[in-house]
């Protein structure tokens, strides 16, 4: 990176995903196997990243905190920071079913000022939607207890929702965000549009027909002249959420993210 900028590294400690959420092509392709990289190799890599003064490490594992050893890996990162000053921050996609190890990792990194925030992701608050997409999930009351536990230790959390999932309606989506606010999830709610990835089960013709998915291609980012443009296929309507409802939900989500995350309406 430039001399005055941060160095960022993408780093994985294992490969694969034991889940098979149907909007994702990760677990489907790895046949639910996870291969762990050896600990001695990971220790050497941490030393190398610290020596190169990498400020931010993005852990690209699909479920960091799923294994007990992940806490040991977090401890190695903290140790490197104490000895060398690097890495300064660690960004993690935490295990989808948040557990004791995730909490311990979050606490360790937070106490050493290295945590970006802990994901308590729902994707949807509606049970039937989560069943439709084969997403592992917890009940809203378990979710509330988890959130309260993090809050008691002042550890920042955020939740992610996906707009446009099968069986979601305008009522269930807006009501879901209301639900999250009612249980005190005021810190950070992030909403993403559903993208159809090439190998994901949801992208297959039968699933598209079954759920009435309407899509269009959108550039991933604005690019300058001479730079190739990449596109992503976004869902903007389903059998249970026609375009007008989708547009309403998108606007509602933008307002929540701007006003509530921005603390104007808390």
């Amino acid at each position: 990176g430039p001399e005055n900028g941060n160095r960022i590294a993408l780093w994985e400690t294992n490969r694969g995903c034991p889940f098979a959420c149907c909007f994702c092509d990760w677990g489907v392709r790895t046949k639910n196997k996870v291969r762990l990289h050896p600990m001695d190799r990971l220790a050497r890599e941490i030393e190398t990243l610290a020596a190169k003064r990498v400020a931010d490490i993005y852990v690209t594992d699909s479920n960091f905190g799923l294994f007990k050893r992940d806490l040991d890996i977090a401890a190695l990162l903290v140790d490197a920071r104490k000895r060398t000053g690097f890495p300064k921050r660690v960004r993690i996609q935490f295990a989808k079913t948040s557990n004791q190890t995730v909490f311990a990792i979050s606490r360790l990194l937070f106490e050493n000022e290295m945590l970006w925030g802990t994901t308590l992701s729902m994707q949807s608050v509606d049970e039937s939607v989560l069943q439709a997409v084969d997403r592992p999930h917890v009940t809203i009351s378990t979710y509330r207890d988890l959130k309260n536990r993090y809050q008691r230790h002042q550890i920042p959390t955020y939740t992610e929702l996906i707009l446009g999932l099968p069986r979601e309606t305008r009522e269930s989506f807006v009501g879901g965000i209301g639900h999250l606010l009612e249980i005190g999830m005021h810190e950070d709610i992030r909403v993403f549009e559903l993208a159809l990835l090439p190998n994901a089960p949801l992208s297959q013709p039968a699933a598209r027909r079954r759920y009435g998915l309407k899509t269009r291609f959108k550039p991933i980012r604005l690019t300058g002249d001479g730079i190739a443009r990449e596109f992503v296929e976004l869902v903007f309507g389903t059998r249970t959420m026609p375009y007008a409802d989708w547009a309403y939900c998108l606007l509602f989500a933008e307002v929540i993210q701007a006003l509530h995350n921005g603390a104007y309406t808390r």
Side-chain angles (χ1 to χ4, degrees):
E3 288 316 303
N4 59 348
N6 275 352
R7 286 169 184 253
I8 296 170
L10 302 177
W11 184 60
E12 67 173 14
T13 76
N14 65 55
R15 184 169 293 187
C17 181
F19 304 111
C21 309
C22 77
F23 51 78
C24 180
D25 66 5
W26 203 335
V28 180
R29 289 288 154 191
T30 55
K31 295 195 169 67
N32 299 353
K33 281 193 185 127
V34 178
R35 294 204 317 277
L36 305 179
H37 301 329
M39 285 295 281
D40 58 340
R41 167 182 151 179
L42 297 176
R44 287 196 308 274
E45 288 176 350
I46 289 171
E47 289 307 304
T48 302
L49 293 171
K52 291 192 179 298
R53 302 171 69 81
V54 173
D56 290 293
I57 292 181
Y58 286 62
V59 179
T60 59
D61 300 10
S62 59
N63 291 278
F64 194 74
L66 192 64
F67 304 101
K68 291 270 189 289
R69 74 169 205 160
D70 294 344
L71 181 55
D72 301 329
I73 294 168
L76 288 173
L77 289 162
V78 168
D79 176 60
R81 166 80 190 272
K82 284 176 173 167
R83 285 184 292 105
T84 69
F86 293 92
K88 297 197 181 301
R89 284 170 302 273
V90 184
R91 193 166 223 160
I92 294 169
Q93 314 302 320
F94 279 108
K96 287 157 195 47
T97 44
S98 205
N99 58 32
Q100 192 62 40
T101 311
V102 170
F103 180 73
I105 292 167
S106 301
R107 198 169 171 186
L108 177 66
L109 292 175
F110 178 71
E111 284 168 357
N112 287 279
E113 298 179 345
M114 293 172 72
L115 182 73
W116 272 99
T118 298
T119 346
L120 298 178
S121 289
M122 299 290 281
Q123 312 310 350
S124 172
V125 181
D126 189 273
E127 286 279 325
S128 75
V129 173
L130 292 168
Q131 284 163 7
V133 297
D134 298 319
R135 171 83 182 180
H137 57 282
V138 297
T139 63
I140 195 89
S141 60
T142 306
Y143 185 84
R144 182 189 59 227
D145 296 343
L146 268 173
K147 189 260 325 158
N148 288 342
R149 188 175 181 200
Y150 281 87
Q151 218 159 26
R152 276 197 302 277
H153 290 86
Q154 296 181 306
I155 300 171
T157 58
Y158 60 94
T159 192
E160 296 172 324
L161 299 171
I162 298 176
L163 173 61
L165 290 172
R167 296 188 193 160
E168 193 86 77
T169 64
R170 170 173 156 171
E171 290 72 27
S172 72
F173 183 82
V174 171
I177 289 180
H179 237 1
L180 290 172
L181 296 176
E182 279 162 21
I183 64 165
M185 190 71 211
H186 295 293
E187 288 173 55
D188 193 348
I189 295 174
R190 305 176 189 186
V191 178
F192 298 91
E193 297 137 290
L194 173 62
L196 291 186
L197 304 174
N199 294 318
L202 206 50
S203 301
Q204 307 317 310
R208 290 171 184 252
R209 284 194 300 274
R210 181 179 175 192
Y211 296 117
L213 304 184
K214 293 188 168 51
T215 66
R216 62 173 63 132
F217 285 86
K218 172 182 167 180
I220 290 178
R221 60 185 63 81
L222 299 172
T223 54
D225 292 338
I227 298 170
R229 295 177 86 193
E230 288 184 277
F231 290 85
V232 65
E233 187 179 10
L234 290 185
V235 172
F236 67 91
T238 70
R239 203 177 295 293
T240 53
M241 187 184 277
Y243 175 72
D245 286 357
W246 178 88
Y248 177 93
C249 290
L250 185 69
L251 186 60
F252 183 79
E254 289 296 328
V255 168
I256 288 289
Q257 288 172 109
L259 297 184
H260 210 69
N261 290 358
Y264 301 106
T265 55
R266 287 193 205 173

